[in-house]
């Protein structure tokens, strides 16, 4: 090749090298811009929803909280549980249910009825409780689904109440945990705390549920004089529940048995060699009183530091690097299956009760992980875990109660569906 040809190749190579360098330089600039702009975008959008809530719902002043309606409380709570903090809200409710097992009168009933004696029975009871709560939280307060869920819950409780096995204090304590634990967990572990309006919504919602359960609040400090608003009610409930725990949350073998069986469910997919580690992590989330009542050992210090470190890292990542969720997270299907009239549950801890065996649920990434860890998938074991879904008034509850109490459920349902969703549960307190 002559000198002119070599010169041409050299010039071409130099030009290409220069062009490539310019492209890389531009990409570096854009990368820096994106890296700097993304956290700013997150900061601008992260608090937009909570800042808009007071004007959106009309609860701008502290005094206005005393007029919060059940309907508005439900909508605000839905934003908290399905958009802002879906994962932590779900875990808080699960822990609230777990915490009730530290009360001997509650754990004794579960042991006596053998609802936790077998893994399948234990996971069904767990799923049934989660379904009832999800139906009440995910659907409008005067809807047929919410009314049916409350009616079914009341009927199941009434069987044990008439036999003297469930007391008003048991019900009030359980209600208090469902109201208080999400607030506490979000404060401890989430990227921001709940503002007063959000806490008032949770209090208003659960006070309304308690009213429909005919729970007696006479032992609360301000029961006779009445409550200013839901925040006042929450303060009273917190004070009473703490006193109740001091008096009733004591070590008992039934507590330990129910805790052990529930922990097995929580760690169902954890490989056997790591289950002792998992049990320590569960123990970290308990306070000393609950741990002693369940007769669990205090975990080594390293576990507490590890769990707190992971949760703190999660908080930072969500606060500074995660964009707000734009689609509601629902644990139950929005509508019934037109072929069967049944609803579906969308998640499960151990066994896939009421979960539809869709292509995604059987072949998606989570399904593959569950399969590799030896878990059951929706549709496995034939009809055992009811992959066709559930009817609220028929399938939810112990097997011996299925199909029973329909008249009682219908009476409660009719009453709730006739109530005014724009009413306030503190208006007459």
């Amino acid at each position: 090749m002559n000198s002119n040809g070599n010169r041409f190749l050299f010039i071409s190579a130099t030009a290409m090298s220069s062009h490539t360098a310019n492209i890389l330089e531009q990409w570096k600039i854009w990368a820096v811009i994106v890296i700097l702009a993304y956290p700013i975008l997150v900061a601008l959008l992260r608090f937009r929803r909570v800042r808009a809530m007071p004007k959106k719902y009309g609860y701008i002043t502290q005094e206005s909280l005393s007029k919060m309606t059940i309907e508005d409380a439900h909508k605000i709570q839905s934003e908290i549980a399905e958009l802002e903090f879906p994962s932590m809200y779900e875990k808080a409710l699960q822990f609230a249910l777990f915490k009730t097992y530290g009360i001997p009168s509650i754990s004794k009933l579960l042991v006596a009825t053998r609802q936790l004696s077998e893994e399948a029975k234990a996971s069904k009871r767990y799923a049934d409780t989660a379904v009832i709560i999800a139906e009440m939280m995910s659907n409008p307060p005067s809807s047929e689904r919410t009314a049916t869920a409350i009616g079914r819950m009341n009927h199941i409780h009434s069987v044990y109440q008439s036999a003297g096995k469930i007391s008003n204090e048991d019900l009030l304590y359980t209600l208090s945990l469902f109201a208080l634990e999400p607030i506490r967990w979000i404060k401890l572990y989430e990227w921001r705390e709940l503002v007063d309006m959000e806490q008032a919504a949770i209090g208003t919602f659960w006070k309304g549920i308690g009213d429909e359960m005919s729970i007696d609040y006479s032992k609360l400090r301000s029961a006779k004089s009445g409550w200013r608003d839901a925040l006042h009610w929450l303060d009273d409930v917190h004070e009473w529940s703490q006193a109740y725990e001091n008096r009733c949350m004591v070590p008992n073998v039934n507590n330990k048995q129910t805790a052990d069986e529930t922990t097995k469910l929580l760690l169902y997919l954890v490989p056997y060699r790591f289950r002792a580690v998992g049990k320590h992590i569960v123990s970290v989330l308990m306070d000393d009183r609950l741990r002693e009542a369940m007769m669990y050992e205090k975990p080594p210090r390293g576990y507490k530091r590890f769990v707190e470190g992971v949760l703190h890292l999660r908080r930072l990542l969500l606060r500074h690097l995660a964009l707000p969720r734009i689609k509601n997270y629902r644990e139950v299907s929005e509508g019934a299956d037109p072929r069967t009239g049944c609803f579906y549950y969308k998640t499960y801890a151990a066994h896939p009760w009421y979960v539809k065996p869709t292509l995604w649920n059987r072949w998606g990434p989570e399904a593959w992980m569950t399969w590799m860890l030896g878990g059951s998938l929706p549709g496995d074991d034939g009809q055992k875990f009811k992959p066709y879904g559930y009817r609220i008034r028929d399938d939810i509850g112990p097997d011996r109660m299925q199909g029973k109490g329909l008249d009682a459920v219908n009476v409660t349902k009719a009453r709730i569906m006739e109530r005014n969703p724009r009413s306030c549960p503190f208006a007459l307190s």
Side-chain angles (χ1 to χ4, degrees):
M1 186 177 293
N2 58 34
S3 59
N4 290 333
N6 289 334
R7 188 180 300 110
F8 174 78
L9 290 175
F10 175 76
I11 293 172
S12 297
T14 303
M16 289 180 64
S17 176
S18 176
H19 180 65
T20 302
N22 288 336
I23 292 176
L24 290 175
E25 190 65 29
Q26 291 177 6
W27 273 106
K28 288 180 182 179
I29 294 172
W30 279 109
V32 171
I33 291 173
V34 170
I35 291 172
L36 294 176
Y38 182 77
I40 296 174
L41 178 64
V42 172
L44 291 173
L45 297 179
R46 237 336 173 182
F47 290 87
R48 187 173 64 172
R49 185 176 289 121
V50 68
R51 288 169 181 156
M53 277 188 187
K55 187 175 180 180
K56 179 178 179 180
Y57 294 104
Y59 301 105
I60 298 174
T61 65
Q62 197 76 16
E63 292 73 20
S64 64
L65 298 179
S66 64
K67 300 176 182 178
M68 183 175 289
T69 67
I70 295 174
E71 183 179 58
D72 285 344
H74 171 264
K75 291 178 180 178
I76 295 168
Q77 184 176 239
S78 293
E79 294 201 29
I80 301 168
E82 298 179 4
L83 288 169
E84 291 285 85
F85 315 107
S87 179
M88 200 58 66
Y89 205 108
E90 179 185 15
K91 294 296 182 290
L93 291 177
Q94 291 172 349
F95 186 80
L97 182 64
F98 182 77
K99 196 172 182 178
T100 64
Y101 304 156
I103 305 298
S105 60
I106 296 175
S107 62
K108 179 182 178 181
L109 176 61
L110 292 172
V111 171
T113 55
R114 301 181 63 82
Q115 291 188 48
L116 297 177
S117 60
E118 301 174 9
E119 281 188 347
K121 282 186 176 180
S123 64
K124 184 180 186 301
R125 184 196 181 268
Y126 195 85
D128 286 348
T129 303
V131 164
I132 286 179
I133 293 173
E135 287 288 344
M136 294 189 300
M137 291 184 59
S138 298
N139 298 294
S142 293
S143 67
E144 182 176 2
R145 289 176 68 172
T146 294
T148 305
I150 295 174
R152 184 62 177 164
M153 175 180 63
N154 284 354
H155 169 68
I156 294 171
H157 288 162
S158 69
V159 174
Y160 298 111
Q161 285 176 293
S162 61
K165 295 179 179 179
I166 291 182
S167 68
N168 183 75
E169 285 191 331
D170 293 335
L171 293 176
L172 178 56
Y173 179 64
T174 303
L175 183 80
S176 75
L177 293 181
F178 286 144
L180 296 171
E181 286 300 309
I183 298 173
R184 186 176 75 88
W185 275 59
I186 290 171
K187 181 178 181 179
L188 287 174
Y189 306 128
E190 273 294 355
W191 53 273
R192 70 168 176 86
E193 297 182 23
L194 295 174
V195 299
D196 284 351
M197 185 190 70
E198 293 171 313
Q199 295 185 42
I202 293 174
T204 300
F205 175 84
W206 287 107
K207 170 62 163 58
I209 296 295
D211 291 344
E212 297 299 347
M213 295 172 67
S214 300
I215 289 179
D216 180 7
Y217 300 113
S218 61
K219 293 190 176 182
L220 301 186
R221 178 186 293 273
S222 304
K224 291 184 178 179
S225 59
W227 297 279
R228 295 185 305 275
D229 52 34
L231 298 178
H232 186 192
W233 181 78
L234 285 170
D235 287 341
D236 270 15
V237 167
H238 179 262
E239 179 186 54
W240 177 87
S241 66
Q242 290 298 298
Y244 180 74
E245 287 181 4
N246 284 330
R247 177 166 50 91
C248 299
M249 187 174 279
V250 295
N252 188 282
V253 292
N254 290 325
N255 297 352
K256 178 169 173 52
Q257 183 175 340
T258 53
D260 286 344
E261 295 298 332
T262 304
T263 301
K264 284 182 183 179
L265 293 180
L266 297 175
L267 304 178
Y268 186 76
L269 295 178
V270 176
Y272 183 79
R273 69 179 67 180
F274 299 117
R275 289 189 181 178
V277 174
K279 192 171 182 178
H280 281 315
I281 291 175
V282 172
S283 184
V284 165
L285 299 174
M286 305 181 196
D287 57 37
D288 290 338
R289 182 165 53 204
L290 177 61
R291 191 182 301 113
E292 291 173 6
M294 291 182 165
M295 303 172 70
Y296 274 34
E297 295 181 0
K298 192 169 184 176
R301 289 183 180 180
Y303 284 92
K304 182 176 175 63
R305 289 195 294 267
F306 171 75
V307 172
E308 290 179 345
V310 169
L311 291 172
H312 181 66
L313 176 61
R314 176 185 179 275
R315 180 192 297 126
L316 292 177
L317 292 175
L318 288 176
R319 169 65 182 82
H320 298 290
L321 296 177
L323 291 170
R325 175 183 286 270
I326 59 175
K327 184 178 180 180
N328 289 55
Y329 170 77
R330 286 175 57 100
E331 293 184 9
V332 291
S333 58
E334 292 190 23
D337 189 316
R339 297 171 300 171
T340 64
C342 293
F343 302 101
Y344 295 104
Y345 194 41
K346 293 185 176 182
T347 184
Y348 60 98
H351 301 112
W353 285 101
Y354 315 123
V355 181
K356 188 176 183 179
T358 61
L359 183 66
W360 177 263
N361 287 339
R362 287 190 60 82
W363 296 98
E366 188 174 349
W368 276 101
M369 181 65 69
T370 300
W371 177 78
M372 286 189 291
L373 292 172
S376 299
L377 298 176
D380 287 354
D381 301 300
Q383 304 297 304
K384 181 176 180 180
F385 300 117
K386 300 187 177 184
Y388 50 82
Y390 62 87
R391 293 182 179 87
I392 303 170
R393 69 173 196 170
D394 296 324
D395 297 308
I396 303 302
D399 291 342
R400 65 186 182 84
M401 292 188 187
Q402 290 186 12
K404 297 180 181 180
L406 301 185
D407 291 340
V409 172
N410 288 335
V411 169
T412 302
K413 182 174 74 171
R415 185 188 75 244
I416 294 174
M417 293 181 69
E418 290 175 358
R419 74 180 177 183
N420 179 13
R422 300 300 301 171
S423 62
C424 173
F426 298 100
L428 299 176
S429 66

